[in-house]
Amino acid sequence: MRSITFGELLEKLLYLSNQKKSALANALGYDDSYISKWINGKNLPTQKGISSICKSTSEFIVNSLTATSMQDILDYFEMGADIDNTNILKQYIEEYLKEAYMQTSQKSLPNVYKNTHCEDHYNGMIHINPRLRKKYLSKDLEAYITKVNKLDLIIYANLYKLNISDKMSIARMKYDLSKTEDHSTLKIRFLTGFSGDDKDIIFNTILLINLITLYPKMKFEIYNCNINSDSIISVIKNRIFHSAVYSGGDQCLFTTMSREKRIVDDMYYNLEEILKNKGKPLVNSISSTNLIKEKVYTQYIMGQDLRLLIGSMNEIFMPLDIFEEVCSSTFKNDKSVLEEVNNINIFLQNVTYKSKLKVLICESELKRYISSGELNFFNNRVKLTFEQREKHLKYIEKIILESSKVEVKLIESSLIDTFKENKNPTIYLSRSINILPKDIDNGVGDYEIINDTEFKGICDKFFDTIWNSDESSIISDKEEILERINKAIAYAKIVNKNYKN
């Protein structure tokens, strides 16, 4: 919902509730002409009576609603199932009317005296019921991007102390911002910490991986600032400041916001100072070719305690000849990369696949790969023929059967179904280095090298938690894994045959 004046909001509320200006005037004890002037923007209520007017108006609107108009109001405010009684809706409308009045009066203050403490009131607002401001972040971001076509945002919060709703609001925010046409105008920095309860280790880690790897064109940076605060703060440079305070657990006590320039500037530069003095970037970006040329990938496969979570099928477990074919076609214009990748292949075949290795494969990705033939070869999108992918899967079967050191488990269902982008995460882990492939854009994707020790430990624990899980969705029995792979191949053969016919 866009930014709206007090008069526009009043008119919209009357329209949605099927009420007339005269009925509202009677309820407020004003003449019809006053209501008309408020709606037309020719005048505003005085600041002395605005609280009473907003409260009485919200009660009048809600009390007049039918089942149909109630749903229209909820849809307009995008509240849906969040509202379970009319008192909450009354309070929401009252607060929104006050906020619209505040915004309108800042542009033109015909009835507000200058140079009084009252003027400060119109630059800030506290919301004792945080539920009413649940969706503030996305709405304000959308409004400011539309207005000025750029954004400089800092978010300050301990990820491990946020409730699920606030975590999801950050994920949704990046998803919403990804729709912006020009990503070069966006700058988002997330200052966080990891102290606290890690009972949601899978959810938290996938959230972080998604924030790091999805929508690669966006400048979205995450820093470990060792935050141990029970609050969440967000500030848009030169625009607005929001904060929410929690009560030890995940219960929010209240939220506050301000558009006063001095407050916004102070908070923005305070957070920048924290970032400068305490911030450690979680990852460093590197292109796929540099990952190979600078021997980072080689360092990984030569490391100890190798573990892989394969959310997207890639170069791992490819037969020697198919690996060489794909390598030649992918890197044919770069001889130095081609040479190094061939060396990697030899090492994979003769050392890695005969050494201790733990691999988790998302079964849904396995099925998708069998059907589509698409995989990410060193994070370059390539497509294999049906014969090539069948041979690839047969080779995986061979390794599972013959190697006593290579352990493979299947993840039967999605680890987390909550996110809008249900892409399975991929992560390369070893004792010395952890690597995240970024989402592919235009056929090629970069990588992120995890350089924060605390985040590296979280990723290790994340993998171990899934690996050691006794959930039925984690399949570790070799015979069952082989049976599922064979069934998938058989199904793909039928589909492929019918497609050819």
Side-chain angles (χ1 to χ4, degrees), residues 1-3 133 135-155 169-178 180 185-189 218 220 234-237 239-240 242 259:
M1 187 167 54
R2 67 183 178 83
S3 179
R133 295 291 295 164
K135 299 179 180 179
Y136 71 83
L137 191 55
S138 294
K139 291 179 182 177
D140 284 330
L141 292 178
E142 181 182 357
Y144 290 126
I145 291 174
T146 301
K147 184 176 180 180
V148 300
N149 198 34
K150 65 179 180 179
L151 180 76
D152 186 346
L153 168 69
I154 302 178
I155 303 172
S169 72
I170 295 174
R172 281 193 297 268
M173 176 204 64
K174 189 173 185 185
Y175 171 80
D176 291 338
L177 289 174
S178 71
T180 305
T185 65
L186 305 180
K187 181 181 180 182
I188 303 98
R189 287 168 289 178
M218 192 183 306
F220 192 105
S234 63
V235 57
I236 303 173
K237 186 178 182 181
R239 296 294 171 182
I240 195 166
H242 285 98
R259 290 185 177 87

Side-chain angles (χ1 to χ4, degrees), residues 297 310 313-330 341 344-346 348-350 353 369 373-378 380 382-385 388-389 391-396 399:
Y297 195 98
I310 300 179
M313 293 301 290
N314 50 47
E315 67 283 346
I316 298 299
F317 292 150
M318 291 183 73
L320 180 66
D321 55 343
I322 296 179
F323 191 106
E324 290 175 348
E325 291 172 18
V326 177
C327 177
S328 297
S329 61
T330 304
V341 172
I344 289 171
N345 188 19
I346 293 171
L348 286 171
Q349 304 294 334
N350 294 289
Y353 301 155
Y369 167 60
E374 291 185 345
L375 60 72
N376 301 337
F377 187 78
F378 292 91
N380 289 256
V382 299
K383 186 166 184 175
L384 274 59
T385 66
Q388 285 176 320
R389 70 190 93 137
K391 190 173 183 180
H392 183 187
L393 293 172
K394 289 292 185 183
Y395 189 64
I396 294 176
I399 291 174

Side-chain angles (χ1 to χ4, degrees), residues 260-285:
E260 187 176 345
K261 187 178 187 306
R262 176 183 60 81
I263 294 176
V264 174
D265 287 350
D266 284 351
M267 183 55 66
Y268 179 86
Y269 291 111
N270 281 345
L271 294 181
E272 278 213 324
E273 188 70 18
I274 291 173
L275 191 156
K276 179 181 177 181
N277 294 329
K278 296 174 59 179
K280 304 171 190 173
L282 295 191
V283 294
N284 283 334
S285 185

Side-chain angles (χ1 to χ4, degrees), residues 186-209:
L186 305 180
K187 181 181 180 182
I188 303 98
R189 287 168 289 178
F190 181 23
L191 283 55
T192 190
F194 308 113
S195 61
D197 193 347
D198 61 359
K199 63 180 179 181
D200 296 321
I201 182 72
I202 294 178
F203 181 96
N204 291 338
T205 309
I206 292 179
L207 173 66
L208 279 168
I209 291 174

Side-chain angles (χ1 to χ4, degrees), residues 93-120:
I93 293 174
E94 179 185 348
E95 295 289 350
Y96 212 93
L97 281 165
K98 288 180 181 178
E99 186 173 345
Y101 178 82
M102 179 186 73
Q103 292 173 338
T104 308
S105 64
Q106 283 181 331
K107 298 176 182 177
S108 175
L109 299 172
N111 297 307
V112 179
Y113 294 102
K114 298 286 186 176
N115 301 320
T116 71
H117 74 281
C118 295
E119 189 175 355
D120 291 338

